[in-house]
């Protein structure tokens, strides 16, 4: 009887105990996520606030494959509705914001794009009193060259670039970026469909800087990409998932975290860091200058820096965390992944993107567009000639009609 009374009292206490007492200084949001209880998470409840969050595809724990639905957890905790949409490149993110076609409250651009947006007044300075979890970001990832005073951004993840390949379709594993110019891979190569990452591969191959300083440097490297184009099956971003997992291509280039996801889905796939080096990128959370919900946006950023939330995101997307407190609680396989956390020898060859001058950036945009439309067989020029001929014929017919009408007047 005494034991029954104790059990009954324990059950009553568990039901009536404040959530913050379930763990010291924590509020339980879901079975897998608890957050700090010394932050006012509920101050927007009942105010019908909607946040527009714009992130990369496959870049947050979304509830699929037994993962935590991070956005749903945030909505449950705060009462804030989240309109979550995705982009596939920094360039498409920039174009969308620059056009004013949509208004966002939280975006996740990469380092070089952050620098560009800061210089153009496109980002809003952060109030870090609303983001106390910024303290969880490791010192080495603060005050990057792209945001030297850390006035505008909070690092979200880190990633590197490399080659993913199908071991069943490749006799000998690639070791170099230059291997992507080997004719034995003709029609089986997937390349980045964005100018900056593709340019970096051409730069590594030719021994040039991934951060060109002159238009002449841009032209020389894009010529390398032009020479490679006849071998390329497709220029892709998120499309690479279906193509590599489905065995539609032998080799591709992409980001380390997504490579982990693809390898999990298809064990025939493998990853290599090319011997010339790799690009290390930092993707950061930021608030556009046009945001109408700055404080709520800062709450979302603070939530994303909670250790349990960071763990859920990193274990789902496979990228490198900038928070040591998150790394400590990761699953062992990811915690010691050679893809997410490469050796010191590989890390020593990492390069980082910096913002380019307006002149160089414009040249890269133009030359990239020209390269994408370039046809080595000359069909592009043939098309232009046919178009010119059609225009000439149309003009001639118009002239004949005008001339005939004029003659009939007399």
């Amino acid at each position: 009887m005494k034991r029954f009374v104790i059990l009954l009292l324990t059950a009553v206490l568990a039901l009536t105990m404040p959530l913050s007492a379930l763990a010291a200084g924590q509020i339980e949001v879901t079975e897998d996520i608890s957050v700090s209880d010394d932050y006012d998470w509920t101050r927007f409840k009942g105010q019908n606030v909607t946040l527009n969050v714009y992130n990369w595809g496959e870049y947050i724990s979304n509830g699929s494959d037994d993962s935590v639905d991070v956005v749903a957890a945030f909505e449950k905790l705060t009462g804030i509705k989240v309109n979550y949409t995705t982009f596939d490149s920094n360039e498409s993110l920039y174009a969308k914001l620059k056009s004013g076609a949509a208004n966002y409250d939280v975006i996740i651009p990469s380092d070089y794009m952050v620098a560009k947006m800061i210089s153009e007044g496109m980002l809003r300075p952060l109030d870090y009193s609303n983001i106390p979890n910024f303290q969880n970001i490791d010192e080495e990832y603060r005050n990057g060259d792209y945001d030297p005073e850390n006035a505008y951004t909070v690092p979200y993840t880190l990633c590197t670039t490399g080659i993913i390949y199908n071991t069943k379709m490749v006799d000998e594993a690639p070791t170099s970026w230059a291997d992507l110019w080997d004719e034995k891979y003709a029609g089986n190569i997937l390349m980045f469909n964005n100018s900056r990452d593709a340019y970096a591969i051409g730069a590594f191959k030719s021994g040039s800087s991934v951060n060109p300083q002159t238009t002449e440097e841009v032209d020389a490297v894009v010529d390398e990409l032009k020479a490679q184009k006849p071998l390329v099956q497709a220029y892709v971003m998120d499309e690479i998932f279906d193509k590599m997992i489905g065995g539609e291509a032998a080799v591709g280039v992409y980001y380390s975290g997504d490579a982990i996801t693809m390898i999990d889905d298809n064990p025939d796939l493998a990853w290599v860091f090319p011997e010339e080096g790799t690009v290390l990128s930092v993707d950061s959370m930021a608030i556009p200058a046009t945001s109408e919900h700055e404080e709520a946006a800062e709450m979302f950023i603070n939530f994303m820096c909670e250790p349990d939330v960071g763990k859920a995101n990193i274990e789902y997307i496979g990228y490198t965390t900038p928070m040591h407190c998150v790394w400590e609680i990761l699953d062992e396989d990811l915690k010691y992944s050679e893809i997410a956390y490469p050796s010191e020898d590989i890390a020593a060859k990492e390069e980082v993107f910096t913002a380019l001058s307006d002149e160089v950036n414009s040249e890269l945009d133009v030359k990239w567009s020209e390269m994408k439309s370039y046809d080595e067989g000359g069909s592009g020029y043939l098309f232009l000639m046919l178009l010119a001929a059609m225009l000439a014929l149309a003009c001639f017919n118009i002239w004949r009609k005008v001339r005939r009408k004029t003659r009939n007047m007399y």
Side-chain angles (χ1 to χ4, degrees), residues 244-369:
M244 290 304 300
I245 293 170
E248 296 178 30
V251 293
V253 296
Y254 218 57
Y255 308 115
S256 52
D258 293 317
I260 292 174
T261 300
M262 286 185 270
I263 292 169
D264 283 344
D265 288 339
N266 183 349
D268 291 336
L269 301 178
W271 172 266
V272 63
F273 287 106
E275 58 192 15
E276 298 96 335
T278 181
V279 171
L280 171 68
S281 295
V282 179
D283 293 340
S284 295
M285 296 175 284
I287 300 177
T290 55
S291 170
E292 299 176 357
H293 305 289
E294 179 183 1
E295 188 177 340
E298 289 164 345
M299 181 182 290
F300 182 85
I301 293 173
N302 192 60
F303 180 78
M304 294 286 273
C305 294
E306 283 285 335
D308 282 356
V309 177
K311 178 179 185 292
N313 283 328
I314 294 301
E315 289 186 347
Y316 182 75
I317 66 178
Y319 279 78
T320 307
T321 177
M323 297 185 283
H324 188 75
C325 61
V326 170
W327 178 83
E328 289 181 324
I329 57 177
L330 292 177
D331 288 345
E332 293 296 303
D333 288 347
L334 183 56
K335 189 174 183 178
Y336 298 106
S337 166
E338 294 181 357
I339 299 178
Y341 302 94
S343 68
E344 290 184 5
D345 290 342
I346 293 171
K349 295 182 179 180
E350 292 172 345
E351 302 285 344
V352 296
F353 284 141
T354 59
L356 306 179
S357 69
D358 290 342
E359 180 184 22
V360 170
N361 205 59
S362 176
E363 182 74 0
L364 179 55
D365 288 343
V366 169
K367 292 300 181 181
W368 171 254
S369 296

Side-chain angles (χ1 to χ4, degrees), residues 204-274:
F204 278 125
K205 191 257 184 183
S206 62
S208 306
S209 171
V210 300
N211 299 299
Q213 300 300 306
T214 66
T215 57
E216 289 77 15
E217 287 181 74
V218 171
D219 296 349
V221 170
V222 174
D223 281 344
E224 294 276 4
L225 298 176
K226 188 182 292 185
Q228 182 205 30
K229 187 179 179 184
L231 308 178
V232 175
Q233 179 192 118
Y235 294 89
V236 299
M237 291 304 292
D238 287 343
E239 304 92 335
I240 195 172
F241 287 91
D242 290 338
K243 285 183 172 290
M244 290 304 300
I245 293 170
E248 296 178 30
V251 293
V253 296
Y254 218 57
Y255 308 115
S256 52
D258 293 317
I260 292 174
T261 300
M262 286 185 270
I263 292 169
D264 283 344
D265 288 339
N266 183 349
D268 291 336
L269 301 178
W271 172 266
V272 63
F273 287 106

Side-chain angles (χ1 to χ4, degrees), residues 131-145:
I131 314 173
N133 282 332
F134 180 72
Q135 66 183 346
N136 292 333
I137 303 297
D138 296 350
E139 287 285 347
E140 62 183 301
Y141 302 122
R142 302 183 192 181
N143 309 104
D145 290 342

